[in-house]
Amino acid sequence: MPRRGPLLQARARWLLLGLLLVLLLTLFLYLLECSPAGDAGAALPGFAGDPYSREHFQTLLQEQEERHLSRVSSLKRQIAQLKQELQEMGDKLKTLQEKKDPGGRAHVETHDQEPSDLLEFLHGQIEKAEVSTGARLPSEYALVAFESFTTTKVYQLEMGLTRHPEEKPVRKDRRDELAEVIEAGLDVINNPEEDDGPEDEDVPVQRQMYSESDFVEGLYRTERDKGSLYELFYSKEGTSSFHHVTLFRPFGPLMKVRSTAVDLTNTAINIIVPLSGRTEAFSQFLHNFREVCIQHDKRVHLTVVYFGQKGLQEVKSSLEKVSRLESFSNYTLIPVDEEFSRGRGLNIGAHAWGNSDVLMFFCDVDIYFSPEFLNTCRLNTSPGRRVFYPVVFSLYNPAIVYGNLELSPSIEHQLVHKKDAGFWRDFGFGMTCQYRSDFLSIGGFDLEVKGWGVEDVHLYRKYLRSEFVVVRTPVSGLFHLWHEKLCADELTPEQYRMCIQSKAMNEASHSHLGMLVFRDEIEQHLRKQAYKVQSKPDELARPNE
C-alpha cells in the first residue's frame, strides 16, 4: 500500500507530459495549416526573416472570405432566377403538350429536355441582340445606343429636363447591377475556360489575377424584347493589353458570351481631318494632337486634306513646326484645289493610305479628345465585324455659359460633363472609328453630296443595313468645342434644316436659352424690386417729419 502513492504520481506525470505533447503537436499542425502557400525555403509567417505579420495574412484571408461570400450570394441569385425560368418554361411546355394531345396520351417530358429548350431560347435571344453580327435596321432611329460607364460614373444619352449627361453618384439600383456585372466579368477572366482565348494567336493569355481596380470602362444597353448586353474592358496599369468580356442578361441570369485578350500595342490610328480655312481652330487642334498623340500615345498618323489655297501655307507651316519640335514625321498634308466637301475629303484621306489596312478616325478640326479615347476607339472596332460611332459631348457657347465672369476659363477647364456646359450630340454621326477595308467594302461616302451634314448619315445608314455591329455610345473623352455656325444658302432644304437645328442646340442649355428669351421680363422685375426697396425708407421717414 505505501508504494501505491508514488506509482500514481508517476502515472499522473506521464499523463500530463503526454497531454502537453498532444497540445504542442496540435499547435504545430495549426501553424502549418494557417500558413500561406509560398516557396519551399520561405520562412513561416511570424518568424524572423518574414516581412509579413500574422495580422497581414488574417486581413488577406478576411478579404478573400468576403469576396467568396459575395460571389456565392451572386450565384445563389442567379440559380434562383434560373430555376424560375426553368419552371416557367416547363409550364409552357406542359401547356403545349396538353393542346397537342387533348386525349390524355401526352407523355411527361424528362428534366433533360427542359434545360435544352431553355438554353435554345436564351441563345436565340443572344443572336437577336446583335452580339456577334449586326441586325439590318431600317434607319438611324432604330438603333438602341449604348451607355458607357466606369466604377463611379455613367454617361447617359437620355437626359430630358431632369437627368444629367454624367450620372454621379450612380443611383443604388443601377450601381448594384453594374457592380454585379463587373464582378461577373472578373470571374470570367480569373477562371478562364478552354474556349476563352485571344483574338490573335500571337497574344498570350494573361494568367495573373484581375481585380475591380483593373476595370477600365464598360458599355451596356437594354432592348425591351431581348435583354441587356454588356461589353467590359479590363487592363493592368501601364500595359497595352486588354481583356474584353461580353456578357448578356436575357431577362434572367447573366450569361457569358465570350472572353478575349486584346493587344493594342501595334494598332495605329490614322486620324483624317478635312479642312478649309479655320487656321486658328487648326492651331488649337494641333496643340491637342501634340499633347495626346505625339507625347503620350505615339501610335497615330495624321492626314489633313485641305481644300483651296487660302490658309494652305499657314497650315503647312504649323505642321512643319510641330514636326521639328517633336521629331514627328507621321503626317500627310493633301492639298485639293476644289470646293470644300467633307465626304470628299475623308474619301481622299482613306484612299491616300495605300493598299494596307488601318484603323481610321474621321475627325473634325473642332474636336478635342483624350488619350483614353484613342484606346476606346481601338477596343470598339474590329475589321469585318464592328464599327464605332461615338456620341460627342458638345460644349455650349462659352460667352453664354460663363457670361457672369470677366473672362471665360481655358478650354481645358471647360471640358466638364454638366447640363449647363453642353449636351450629348446624339444627332451627329461625323466622328467615327472604322477600318479602311470596311469603309471601302461598304462603298464609302456618297460623293454626290456637297457641303454639310447628310453624307455622314448616308454612311451610317449603310452600316445599319449591313451585318456590321454598330457600337453607338456617349464617350467621356471626346468633346466638340463651340464655334459659330454659318448655314450657307446653297445648301439643300434638308441640309439647311439640319444645320439650323444644330446651330440652335449648340448655343446654350434649355435654362440658359429661357433666361435669354425672358431677359426683358427679368430686367423689368429687377427694376420694380429696386424701386420698392428705395421707396420703403421714404415711407418710414414720413411719420417722423
Side-chain angles (χ1 to χ4, degrees):
M1 293 299 293
R3 299 175 57 187
R4 188 174 181 180
L7 182 62
L8 290 175
Q9 291 179 359
R11 289 180 178 178
R13 283 196 297 270
W14 281 108
L15 180 61
L16 290 173
L17 182 61
L19 289 175
L20 181 61
L21 289 174
V22 170
L23 288 174
L24 289 174
L25 180 61
T26 304
L27 179 61
F28 180 71
L29 292 175
Y30 174 77
L31 289 174
L32 286 178
E33 184 69 23
C34 295
S35 62
D39 297 336
L44 288 174
F47 289 86
D50 186 6
Y52 301 109
S53 64
R54 178 178 297 178
E55 289 77 8
H56 172 77
F57 290 108
Q58 287 178 344
T59 302
L60 290 179
L61 288 172
Q62 184 176 359
E63 291 177 355
Q64 192 74 7
E65 183 181 4
E66 291 176 355
R67 189 177 296 111
H68 285 311
L69 288 175
S70 175
R71 183 59 183 156
V72 168
S73 177
S74 175
L75 289 173
K76 285 182 178 179
R77 289 197 304 270
Q78 295 186 36
I79 291 171
Q81 292 172 347
L82 186 58
K83 285 182 177 179
Q84 184 178 357
E85 292 281 350
L86 286 171
Q87 182 64 38
E88 293 176 357
M89 290 298 297
D91 295 341
K92 290 180 180 178
L93 288 172
K94 186 176 181 180
T95 303
L96 290 174
Q97 291 161 9
E98 290 175 353
K99 290 181 179 179
K100 289 181 180 179
D101 194 358
R105 296 186 302 275
H107 61 281
V108 179
E109 293 284 347
T110 64
H111 289 289
D112 293 336
Q113 289 172 308
E114 292 179 5
S116 175
D117 292 330
L118 176 59
L119 287 175
E120 183 179 348
F121 165 75
L122 296 178
H123 285 292
Q125 293 295 91
I126 293 177
E127 292 176 1
K128 294 177 184 177
E130 302 181 66
V131 176
S132 300
T133 59
R136 298 177 183 271
L137 302 177
S139 72
E140 62 271 24
Y141 305 107
L143 180 77
V144 178
F146 286 87
E147 293 188 346
S148 57
F149 65 96
T150 64
T151 54
T152 58
K153 301 177 183 178
V154 173
Y155 301 96
Q156 55 196 10
L157 279 178
E158 298 297 330
M159 295 191 302
L161 297 179
T162 57
R163 299 175 69 189
H164 296 272
E166 175 187 281
E167 184 181 339
K168 179 188 176 183
V170 183
R171 68 175 191 262
K172 186 179 184 305
D173 58 335
R174 199 201 307 246
R175 184 173 67 248
D176 292 343
E177 173 197 355
L178 298 181
E180 179 188 1
V181 170
I182 294 172
E183 182 69 26
L186 289 171
D187 185 63
V188 170
I189 296 174
N190 293 330
N191 302 284
E193 299 176 357
E194 293 183 0
D195 58 343
D196 293 341
E199 291 184 349
D200 190 341
E201 294 181 356
D202 297 331
V203 180
V205 178
Q206 297 286 344
R207 293 302 180 190
Q208 54 187 330
M209 297 297 287
Y210 281 70
S211 64
E212 184 180 334
S213 62
D214 299 318
F215 176 71
V216 179
E217 64 179 355
L219 311 176
Y220 79 96
R221 68 178 178 187
T222 299
E223 298 182 68
R224 288 175 292 181
D225 59 337
K226 300 178 183 69
S228 298
L229 175 64
Y230 304 89
E231 304 277 0
L232 310 173
F233 300 98
Y234 303 81
S235 177
K236 290 290 184 182
E237 186 177 359
T239 68
S240 297
S241 298
F242 289 76
H243 266 287
H244 179 189
V245 178
T246 303
L247 301 175
F248 186 70
R249 192 199 300 273
F251 299 116
L254 279 170
M255 298 178 63
K256 188 196 80 173
V257 178
R258 60 173 168 265
S259 174
T260 55
V262 185
D263 189 357
L264 303 179
T265 305
N266 299 318
T267 305
I269 302 178
N270 182 18
I271 300 179
I272 305 177
V273 181
L275 186 63
S276 178
R278 307 291 309 284
T279 54
E280 291 184 5
F282 183 70
S283 297
Q284 173 62 43
F285 175 85
L286 269 187
H287 176 73
N288 176 223
F289 180 85
R290 182 177 175 180
E291 290 185 345
V292 172
C293 301
I294 301 177
Q295 298 177 358
H296 188 276
D297 192 279
K298 304 184 187 335
R299 295 165 291 167
V300 173
H301 186 95
L302 176 62
T303 301
V304 180
V305 183
Y306 194 89
F307 288 82
Q309 295 297 321
K310 185 178 179 181
L312 175 60
Q313 189 58 42
E314 190 174 345
V315 168
K316 183 178 180 181
S317 300
S318 298
L319 288 170
E320 291 175 348
K321 181 179 179 181
V322 171
S323 178
R324 287 194 307 270
L325 294 175
E326 300 291 345
S327 299
F328 176 75
S329 59
N330 293 334
Y331 74 92
T332 305
L333 175 61
I334 306 175
V336 181
D337 195 11
E338 300 176 8
E339 182 184 353
F340 177 78
S341 169
R342 187 177 187 275
R344 167 78 171 147
L346 294 172
N347 214 48
I348 291 173
H351 283 84
W353 182 260
N355 295 324
S356 62
D357 203 5
V358 68
L359 175 58
M360 304 183 301
F361 172 40
F362 294 161
C363 185
D364 286 345
V365 72
D366 303 299
I367 293 298
Y368 186 102
F369 51 86
S370 68
E372 293 76 19
F373 166 74
L374 295 178
N375 278 335
T376 300
C377 176
R378 294 179 176 106
L379 289 169
N380 286 287
T381 50
S382 178
R385 291 201 315 116
R386 291 163 66 102
V387 293
F388 184 42
Y389 273 85
V391 181
V392 181
F393 193 75
S394 188
L395 299 179
Y396 290 133
N397 186 346
I400 298 177
V401 176
Y402 307 101
N404 59 332
L405 302 178
E406 293 184 4
L407 292 175
S408 298
S410 64
I411 290 178
E412 287 74 16
H413 286 87
Q414 294 180 31
L415 305 178
V416 293
H417 300 97
K418 293 184 178 179
K419 200 163 188 176
D420 286 337
F423 67 102
W424 294 113
R425 189 183 285 263
D426 58 342
F427 57 83
F429 307 98
M431 294 344 108
T432 172
C433 296
Q434 52 192 261
Y435 276 84
R436 180 177 181 270
S437 57
D438 299 333
F439 175 75
L440 297 179
S441 67
I442 206 73
F445 286 104
D446 183 357
L447 298 181
E448 298 298 322
V449 177
K450 304 293 182 183
W452 186 90
V454 179
E455 80 283 351
D456 301 330
V457 182
H458 286 184
L459 179 65
Y460 183 65
R461 289 171 180 168
K462 286 182 182 180
Y463 282 114
L464 292 179
R465 293 165 183 167
S466 71
E467 294 185 354
F468 282 90
V469 175
V470 179
V471 180
R472 177 95 167 137
T473 182
V475 176
S476 61
L478 199 60
F479 293 85
H480 181 273
L481 305 180
W482 181 89
H483 65 91
E484 187 177 359
K485 279 190 173 294
L486 298 175
C487 298
D489 292 335
E490 55 267 21
L491 294 176
T492 65
E494 182 182 4
Q495 288 177 316
Y496 193 82
R497 179 187 59 80
M498 293 175 65
C499 184
I500 290 295
Q501 179 187 18
S502 176
K503 183 176 182 178
M505 296 185 65
N506 199 49
E507 284 298 309
S509 65
H510 187 100
S511 59
H512 272 139
L513 288 176
M515 297 295 286
L516 291 175
V517 170
F518 298 108
R519 179 170 53 189
D520 292 341
E521 293 185 25
I522 295 171
E523 291 178 353
Q524 185 179 3
H525 173 76
L526 292 176
R527 286 194 297 268
K528 289 180 178 178
Q529 292 297 317
Y531 175 76
K532 289 181 179 179
V533 172
Q534 292 175 359
S535 62
K536 281 184 178 180
D538 295 338
E539 293 176 358
L540 293 173
R542 285 174 186 171
N544 296 330
E545 291 179 354

